Amino acid sequence: MSGAYLSDVLFLLGFAVAVVTIPLVTLAAFGWLRPHYPEALKAEAYESGMPQASIPRRPFHMAYYNFALVFIVFEVETLLLFAVAPILRDAGWLGLAEVGAFVALVALSLFYAWRKGALVWR
Amino acid sequence: MEVSLPLTFAAGLLWGAVAFTIVGALTAGLVLAERKVSARIQGRVGPMHTGPHGALQTIADMIKLVMKEDVRPARADATAFRLGPLLVAVPAVLSLAVIPFGAPLVMRDLNVGVLYFLAIPGVTVIGLLLAGWASYDNYSFLGGLRSSAQFISYEIPRSLTVVTVVMLAGSLSTVDVLEAQRSVPYVVLLPFSFFLYCVTSLAEINRLPFDMPEAESELVAGYHTEYSGFRWALFFLAEYAGFFAAAAFGAVLFLGGGSGPLLPPVVWLAVKTAVLLFIGMWIRFTLPRFRADQLMRLAWKVFLPASLVNLVLAALIMRAVGS
């Protein structure tokens, strides 16, 4: 079991190394073929022709924070479902009821977040 | 079956190189297909001049892209600016590792393959945020924020929908899911899951009607506004790799993958994937774009409750079929 696990991880490691290396090598290889004419104006941020109107390092919309929080809660709950999903077929009505109770709890938390206004973009 | 570990690592390297090559070729093909399909829908002819009927247009485009100057804004964060496109493109290619291209032909049959396919592209969010933030550009910044918010919002209903397939198949391995559909493909048993999967996948890969992060009329080009040449091409590659992976995965989860009469499995999978890809392109050039707040409302107030209801529905179907 652990041997198979180790070989899976090693395979994916090799896979990832190849997928990361190829674009880096391509980028480097064409480095001495592509033109390079640095210019002050070219290095300016895009702003339809005028100097940059405002600094991008600034506070942004609060709503992102709300959604990020709710996301973490639901993502963890979804992951837990993946753990039980494969054995659910043979778990009988009792097992199904237990997972059903969990899903009801998830639905309840969604309802709570909804009522508290966490899902409104404002 | 037991092979030495260095050999496994080497096999990984080899398949990684193959996967990247496949993605490169696919991107060229899909871009051309998309331009021709869009031209047809809009009553144009599309690219015609490079090669017969413009067949070599994307090859020419690719050569152009690698030869273009690599421009970086002066105030951009250099490290994050370089890292962004990699973190977007690499996960998209990595997700191909678990897709069974034929009945036995899969790069790696992980025992958690389905979860892997959903989890690996999660890294993309970091890449989108990094690229948007590092560019030191207002459009990029807003685009990066919007994309990542959209990505994480649709990830939950999408994952919950895939859970229904795992429930019926009784396994997290993509090969087992395929095996379980020998008699009946899951689109018959779980039509609603299939619908939810397709719609949330479109949102997940930032395509119309959910391509709001790149809404050119308000955000220029979103998070990749400041990118050019090969680094920009990586974003493009990621988009089409994601598009293809989502379609192929949908074909495996719901349409029985490579199963079909007469023709070899790889051909059947290609046909089913192509149909899903075509529908994706068709939608792109037919529907208008959602607004930022509508998009989030749709994810949390329509798709999330719908996927929860769908979960219960699938459990009942599983009981009815399973015995």
Side-chain angles (χ1 to χ4, degrees):
Chain A
M1 185 63 200
S2 70
Y5 176 74
L6 189 66
S7 77
D8 276 348
V9 170
L10 265 177
F11 177 90
L12 290 175
L13 205 65
F15 200 91
V17 166
V19 174
V20 171
T21 312
I22 293 173
L24 287 181
V25 168
T26 316
L27 195 63
F30 283 92
W32 42 273
L33 277 179
R34 37 166 204 259
H36 184 61
Y37 305 119
E39 202 183 304
L41 263 182
K42 215 188 266 177
E44 207 47 49
Y46 177 82
E47 192 83 72
S48 57
M50 55 183 189
Q52 198 162 28
S54 63
I55 300 165
R57 302 278 182 274
R58 57 177 180 185
F60 52 88
H61 207 305
M62 250 310 274
Y64 288 111
Y65 171 75
N66 272 347
F67 281 106
L69 267 188
V70 189
F71 162 74
I72 290 177
V73 173
F74 282 97
E75 186 75 343
V76 170
E77 286 170 342
T78 309
L79 264 180
L80 290 176
L81 275 176
F82 269 99
V84 292
I87 52 165
L88 211 52
R89 199 170 51 172
D90 310 313
W93 283 109
L94 182 67
L96 212 57
E98 282 170 353
V99 177
F102 177 72
V103 172
L105 213 62
V106 174
L108 191 70
S109 62
L110 176 67
F111 183 67
Y112 179 76
W114 197 323
R115 281 296 299 272
K116 285 287 176 184
L119 306 183
V120 182
W121 191 270
R122 53 162 182 231
Chain B
M1 202 50 218
E2 198 54 50
V3 262
S4 66
L5 295 176
L7 216 63
T8 319
F9 183 77
L13 278 176
L14 186 71
W15 278 117
V18 170
F20 203 92
T21 316
I22 292 177
V23 165
L26 269 172
T27 305
L30 280 175
V31 169
L32 184 70
E34 179 133 47
R35 292 180 75 176
K36 284 294 185 186
V37 168
S38 71
R40 178 89 187 146
I41 289 171
Q42 296 169 344
R44 300 180 284 115
V45 288
M48 286 299 275
H49 290 287
T50 321
H53 283 262
L56 299 176
Q57 184 61 51
T58 36
I59 308 288
D61 284 344
M62 279 175 144
I63 296 171
K64 179 195 76 177
L65 280 172
V66 290
M67 298 296 288
K68 257 184 146 181
E69 186 176 356
D70 185 25
V71 183
R72 189 178 72 232
R75 276 162 298 188
D77 184 319
T79 315
F81 189 82
R82 291 199 185 102
L83 209 56
L86 264 188
L87 282 180
V88 175
V90 168
V93 183
L94 283 184
S95 61
L96 289 184
V98 292
I99 292 179
F101 286 96
L105 182 61
V106 56
M107 293 181 191
R108 193 76 183 177
D109 178 20
L110 294 184
N111 55 3
V112 288
V114 175
L115 194 59
Y116 170 91
F117 184 87
L118 292 174
I120 289 295
V123 180
T124 306
V125 179
I126 302 169
L128 295 175
L129 273 175
L130 265 184
W133 182 83
S135 300
Y136 205 85
D137 178 303
N138 288 304
Y139 300 111
S140 304
F141 180 59
L142 288 175
L145 279 177
R146 278 192 189 182
S147 315
S148 42
Q150 170 182 338
F151 193 93
I152 62 172
S153 296
Y154 281 89
E155 190 160 297
I156 294 166
R158 189 175 186 229
S159 306
L160 281 174
T161 305
V162 174
V163 166
T164 61
V165 172
V166 175
M167 262 163 54
L168 255 74
S171 171
L172 276 167
S173 145
T174 43
V175 174
D176 289 350
V177 168
L178 209 56
E179 277 301 304
Q181 295 176 71
R182 268 277 150 87
S183 47
V184 190
Y186 284 152
V187 66
V188 179
L189 295 177
L190 304 165
F192 196 51
S193 283
F194 181 59
F195 171 74
L196 278 176
Y197 174 82
C198 289
V199 178
T200 49
S201 293
L202 279 181
E204 190 91 346
I205 50 178
N206 282 341
R207 284 182 66 89
L208 258 167
F210 306 103
D211 77 331
M212 181 214 57
E214 298 165 60
E216 53 270 55
S217 46
E218 40 186 291
L219 284 179
V220 190
Y223 51 85
H224 56 59
T225 303
E226 293 293 350
Y227 284 88
S228 61
F230 187 69
R231 293 186 203 280
W232 179 83
L234 280 180
F235 284 113
F236 215 60
L237 197 84
E239 183 183 328
Y240 282 93
F243 189 23
F244 169 75
F249 197 59
V252 167
L253 286 188
F254 296 101
L255 304 181
S259 63
L262 291 174
L263 298 167
V266 183
V267 177
W268 270 111
L269 184 73
V271 168
K272 288 167 183 174
T273 308
V275 169
L276 289 182
L277 287 171
F278 173 72
I279 294 173
M281 292 176 186
W282 188 7
I283 289 172
R284 173 171 176 185
F285 290 98
T286 313
L287 296 179
R289 170 185 303 135
F290 283 107
R291 217 171 51 209
D293 58 322
Q294 291 173 332
L295 195 89
M296 299 302 272
R297 196 176 63 210
L298 203 63
W300 291 96
K301 295 187 173 174
V302 179
F303 285 125
L304 185 51
S307 59
L308 284 173
V309 171
N310 182 42
L311 208 59
V312 178
L313 205 70
L316 296 177
I317 293 171
M318 179 184 71
R319 292 305 302 190
V321 177
S323 54

